[in-house]
């Protein structure tokens, strides 16, 4: 693959589930002439295009056949996805988390913002059913509703994702004369302000930093050759510090070995400075002064 190894964070699937869950508990009540509730109908919702249900309605004009589809019901689908440059974050920033291996960490780069346009279709037989459903939706979008989504569980990344209601349109679908009414269709268009994360990568944890500082002799500007030929005069070593009882410390002499300190512990920072007059230089390939 030109983009590296395969990965799947299930982000788009999570946005679809999030959207459907917002509307999965709507009900319609049928009233008698005296205002008494005589029937309460749960409004089912499923993912699918509007045309699928229009074909079913056209095959059963009166919607009385004993089959699975009944009105009222709702359907929704993804209409489009569009990149949103106004929400773009600095792409070099990393989100990091210590992995199960204490000597390694997982990281991801900042996500890419995309606007996901969703359409919600409300199919009803009469206007009052449609009015009840729409009135149970509109008050919660002013114009947005925010859901918390666990986008990348392995990285503990949870984000508040706003869903914006853009508009509502009404369509009266029928065949025949103007008296016969087949179905009313309300179409609500939404925009989900989503993000998409890349793959989770892994890297080692730095537990020891060593800085060697040479002091070239003589006057005048210091050149690269001067530095390369001059041994270290002093060395700064920085390591994590942790006492045997688990308390952080800045005293490296009292600390347990830095190799035993996990990256997810509450450790201190121990810094030590060493001075040399032997003119030796550190060899990173052998790990020795020579």
């Amino acid at each position: 693959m030109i983009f590296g190894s395969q990965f799947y964070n299930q982000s788009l699937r999570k946005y679809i589930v999030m959207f459907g869950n917002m509307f999965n508990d709507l009900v319609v009540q049928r009233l008698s002439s005296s205002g008494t509730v005589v029937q309460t109908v749960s409004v089912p919702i499923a993912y699918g295009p509007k045309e699928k249900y229009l074909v079913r309605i056209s095959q059963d004009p009166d919607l009385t056949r004993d089959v699975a589809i009944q009105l009222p019901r709702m359907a929704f689908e993804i209409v489009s996805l569009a990149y949103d440059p106004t929400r773009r974050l600095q792409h070099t920033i990393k989100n990091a988390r210590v992995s199960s291996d204490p000597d390694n960490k997982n990281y991801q780069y900042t996500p890419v913002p995309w606007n996901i346009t969703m359409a919600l279709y409300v199919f009803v037989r009469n206007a009052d059913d449609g009015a009840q459903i729409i009135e149970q939706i509109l008050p919660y979008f002013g114009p947005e509703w925010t859901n918390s989504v666990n986008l990348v569980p392995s990285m503990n990344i949870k984000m508040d994702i706003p869903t914006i209601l853009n508009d509502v349109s009404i369509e009266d679908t029928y065949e025949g004369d103007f008296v016969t009414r087949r179905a009313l269709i309300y179409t609500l268009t939404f925009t989900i302000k989503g993000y998409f994360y890349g793959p989770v990568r892994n890297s080692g944890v730095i537990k020891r930093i060593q800085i060697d500082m040479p002091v070239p002799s003589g006057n005048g500007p210091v050149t690269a050759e001067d530095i390369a030929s001059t041994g270290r005069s002093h060395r700064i070593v920085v390591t994590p510090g942790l006492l045997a009882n688990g308390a952080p410390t800045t005293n490296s002499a009292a600390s347990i070995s830095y190799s035993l300190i996990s990256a997810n512990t509450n450790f201190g920072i121990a810094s030590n400075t060493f001075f040399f007059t032997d003119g030796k230089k550190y060899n990173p390939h052998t790990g020795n002064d020579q």
Side-chain angles (χ1 to χ4, degrees):
M1 295 178 61
I2 62 174
F3 299 115
S5 60
Q6 189 274 345
F7 72 96
Y8 180 40
N9 295 322
Q10 299 184 342
S11 300
L12 190 58
R13 179 180 183 275
K14 291 175 182 178
Y15 292 137
I16 293 173
V17 173
M18 175 202 77
F19 185 84
N21 284 339
M22 289 193 290
F23 310 103
N24 66 353
D25 57 353
L26 297 180
V27 297
V28 169
Q29 292 183 337
R30 307 278 170 72
L31 307 178
S32 65
S33 58
S34 61
T36 304
V37 177
V38 295
Q39 185 183 22
T40 299
V41 180
S42 296
V43 183
I45 184 172
Y47 185 87
K50 177 176 67 174
E51 288 74 13
K52 172 182 177 181
Y53 297 94
L54 289 178
V55 170
R56 173 64 187 87
I57 291 171
S58 65
Q59 293 174 352
D60 182 16
D62 297 325
L63 300 171
T64 57
R65 195 177 303 168
D66 188 15
V67 292
I69 185 169
Q70 296 179 357
L71 297 187
R73 71 177 300 114
M74 295 185 295
F76 66 99
E77 64 175 335
I78 295 178
V79 177
S80 64
L81 292 89
Y83 176 69
D84 188 355
T86 62
R87 295 186 289 125
R88 184 66 164 115
L89 304 174
Q90 176 58 254
H91 66 277
T92 57
I93 299 176
K94 295 180 182 180
N95 299 307
R97 188 184 186 192
V98 178
S99 66
S100 56
D101 182 354
D103 292 328
N104 290 276
K105 68 175 181 179
N106 295 329
Y107 69 93
Q108 278 181 311
Y109 287 101
T110 51
V112 178
W114 281 77
N115 293 334
I116 307 168
T117 302
M118 305 288 295
L120 175 67
Y121 308 111
V122 180
F123 304 90
V124 295
R125 187 186 304 182
N126 56 71
D128 187 67
D129 286 355
Q132 288 190 49
I133 295 173
I134 296 301
E135 194 163 327
Q136 292 178 70
I137 295 175
L138 297 185
Y140 295 99
F141 292 88
E144 67 181 37
W145 177 265
T146 301
N147 293 280
S148 180
V149 182
N150 192 1
L151 289 177
V152 190
S154 63
M155 296 291 292
N156 196 28
I157 295 178
K158 299 179 181 179
M159 299 189 71
D160 292 333
I161 304 298
T163 301
I164 301 173
L165 175 58
N166 300 320
D167 56 62
V168 181
S169 62
I170 306 174
E171 179 183 358
D172 192 350
T173 302
Y174 63 89
E175 292 180 359
D177 55 42
F178 288 97
V179 177
T180 303
R181 171 167 292 177
R182 297 294 176 82
L184 279 171
I185 304 174
Y186 292 80
T187 302
L188 294 81
T189 304
F190 298 83
T191 298
I192 299 175
K193 297 288 188 177
Y195 290 92
F196 290 89
Y197 280 87
V200 177
R201 296 181 170 89
N202 185 273
S203 67
V205 177
I206 298 174
K207 293 187 177 182
R208 184 179 185 275
I209 299 174
Q210 175 180 305
I211 303 173
D212 284 3
M213 305 184 66
V215 180
S217 59
N219 299 321
V222 177
T223 64
E225 291 77 10
D226 294 334
I227 297 176
S229 61
T230 305
R232 74 275 189 274
S233 62
H234 57 285
R235 170 179 295 163
I236 300 174
V237 177
V238 181
T239 59
L242 191 70
L243 298 177
N245 62 3
T249 181
T250 58
N251 184 355
S252 61
S255 172
I256 62 175
S257 173
Y258 66 84
S259 62
L260 301 177
I261 300 176
S262 174
N264 57 2
T265 56
N266 182 26
F267 54 83
I269 301 297
S271 177
N272 294 280
T273 302
F274 305 91
F275 296 92
F276 302 92
T277 58
D278 54 14
K280 292 183 178 181
K281 292 177 63 66
Y282 178 76
N283 187 331
H285 300 290
T286 63
N288 299 317
D289 295 328
Q290 56 189 41

